[in-house]
Structure formats: structure tokens, C-alpha cells
Amino acid sequence: MKTLSFLTAGLLALSASAFAETQTSVVLVHGAFADGSSWNKVINQLQKQHTEVIAVQLPLTSLKDDVAATQRAITRAQGNVVLVGHSWGGTVISEAGNDARVKSLVYVAAFAPDSGQSTGDLVGRYPAPAGSADIAKTADGYLYLPAKAVSHDFAPDVKPAEQKTIAATQGPIKAEAFAEKITHAAWHDKPSWYVVSQNDRMINPQLERAMAKAIHAKTTEVAASHVSMVSQPEVITRAIEQAVEGK
């Protein structure tokens, strides 16, 4: 009986190990002027497919700190990881995505800097989007969006009640973070997907298309604002599912 118990325990352990190796988890990384709740609609859809999902809560104090927070989430995940980044989160996943557990990357209206490049280096390549003029700064160097800028520039295609929630829950970002350079861009080694927001007022859509081309991403375009995961979560979920399936 003891032998059978040991045998059963061993088989269960092997089964659990095999499950962890084959399961794919999704780790979602929000951008500046947002928090993990920006992914709520996408999370609900992914969980219906029995996918493990972890939404990172970035401190937004530096690239190093944000990468560390993302790495902790990758460590928590079961099995392989599809790493998804929105906006500033694209810079974060470009660095954190070098983790061996990360199998693919998904950029949602996101920055995709190259090795040795910062987010700020990318911004100056195309005309500044309209929303950039409305970014405000605190006395201690953090950037945030006034409520009017959220409704007019950041999330103009979502309901007013949602706009108010986004404005209230946003995370201000340390301005200096945009000057921090990544060491090695993970997209050089990992398959990538990119969803371009055609009506983006925070990142120039032309820049988004150029970055998607540069990283050789499988690209989708959506007629949405900067927060396509809020206004059109089905499109974003579909892109993530394609990355999970490797299609």
C-alpha cells in the first residue's frame, strides 16, 4: 500500500510538472497614466478560455523598477509566458521579455525600443501626437493626465463613466523613466505581435506602424484610441490568443 501511495504521489508530481511545462500564462503590463485595471475586460475574456492571467502593477518609478515588478509576475506564472505590454509597457516587456520563460511578446499601441534605445529616442522620430501637449507634471517630476486630457486624448472612445475611472486610477510616471535605455531588446529573439491604434492621440500611429515593422511583428490595426484594450477588448484578446497559440 505504501509503495502504491509513493507511486501515486510520484505520478501526480510528474503530471503537475508536465502541466506547468505545457500551460501558457499571459502576463499583462500596463502603460503610463494607467494601472492593472486597464486590462479588466481583456482579463475577463482570457479567463473564459481557462487561461492563467496576471496583471502587473507597475510602480512607474523607473524602467528598472518596472522591469523588476514584471519579472516577479513572470516568476509567479505557470509554464510558458506570453508577455503583453501597452504603451510604456512595451518598453518594459522589451527588457523583461529576455526571461527564458517568455515565449512571445504582444505590443498594444506600445513602444518597442531597440537595444541601447530609450522611449524618448523613439518619440522624436515622428510629429508629436495631439495628446502629448496635455501631459502635466508634478513638482517632484511625475507626469500625469488631467481628467480633460483623459477624456479628449487618452480614452475618447470609451464611456464618460469609464473615462472618470481611468483618470482616478491612473498611475503617474517618473518623467526620467522615458530617458532610460534598455540593454537588449527581447523582440530580436522572440516572436512578436503588434496592435496599432489608428486613432491614437498619445502615440503617433505612424510611429506604431514603424515599430511594428522594425520588430517584424504580426500586425493588426484597430480603429481605436490609445486604450484599445478598454474600447475594443475583443480585438486585443484575439491578438493575445494568437500569440498563445503561436499563429
Side-chain angles (χ1 to χ4, degrees):
M1 293 293 289
K2 285 185 178 179
T3 302
L4 286 174
S5 297
F6 285 135
L7 212 56
T8 302
L11 287 171
L12 286 172
L14 284 172
S15 177
S17 175
F19 177 75
E21 289 176 1
T22 56
Q23 182 180 355
T24 299
S25 302
V26 175
V27 174
L28 302 167
V29 183
H30 66 81
F33 321 125
D35 74 349
S37 68
S38 61
W39 295 107
N40 281 355
K41 294 179 182 179
V42 171
I43 291 169
N44 290 338
Q45 293 190 22
L46 289 172
Q47 288 178 335
K48 288 178 182 177
Q49 306 300 321
H50 308 290
T51 302
E52 183 196 38
V53 186
I54 299 174
V56 182
Q57 296 290 353
L58 298 178
L60 299 175
T61 46
S62 70
L63 176 58
K64 181 181 178 181
D65 291 345
D66 288 354
V67 169
T70 303
Q71 289 173 328
R72 286 192 293 273
I74 293 169
T75 300
R76 286 170 50 203
Q78 301 294 315
N80 298 333
V81 170
V82 169
L83 194 55
V84 186
H86 171 245
S87 193
W88 160 254
T91 298
V92 177
I93 71 170
S94 294
E95 185 72 56
N98 289 301
D99 189 292
R101 299 267 307 285
V102 176
K103 300 305 177 185
S104 56
L105 306 166
V106 181
Y107 293 81
V108 180
F111 293 108
D114 202 345
S115 305
Q117 195 174 47
S118 71
T119 303
D121 292 335
L122 290 169
V123 171
R125 293 187 171 186
Y126 287 84
S132 62
D134 295 326
I135 298 173
K137 190 175 185 179
T138 65
D140 57 347
Y142 281 81
L143 305 177
Y144 70 96
L145 289 177
K148 185 177 179 181
V150 170
S151 60
H152 190 254
D153 300 312
F154 193 70
D157 56 351
V158 305
K159 296 178 180 179
E162 286 183 292
Q163 293 172 343
K164 291 178 181 178
T165 300
I166 290 170
T169 59
Q170 70 174 293
I173 184 170
K174 189 75 170 178
E176 295 170 355
F178 291 124
E180 293 182 60
K181 300 180 186 295
I182 65 171
T183 56
H184 177 74
W187 50 259
H188 281 291
D189 312 306
K190 312 287 174 79
S192 300
W193 280 254
Y194 199 110
V195 183
V196 173
S197 283
Q198 295 173 341
N199 304 325
D200 203 324
R201 292 173 61 85
M202 299 305 299
I203 300 178
N204 190 320
Q206 290 179 284
L207 174 57
E208 292 180 22
R209 295 184 183 102
M211 291 186 290
K213 183 178 180 180
I215 68 176
H216 308 292
K218 295 181 180 179
T219 305
T220 301
E221 295 211 6
V222 58
S225 71
H226 190 55
V227 293
S228 54
M229 68 286 190
V230 180
S231 63
Q232 299 203 38
E234 297 84 3
V235 176
I236 305 309
T237 301
R238 193 154 54 243
I240 295 171
E241 288 174 342
Q242 290 171 355
V244 169
E245 296 167 3
K247 294 182 179 179

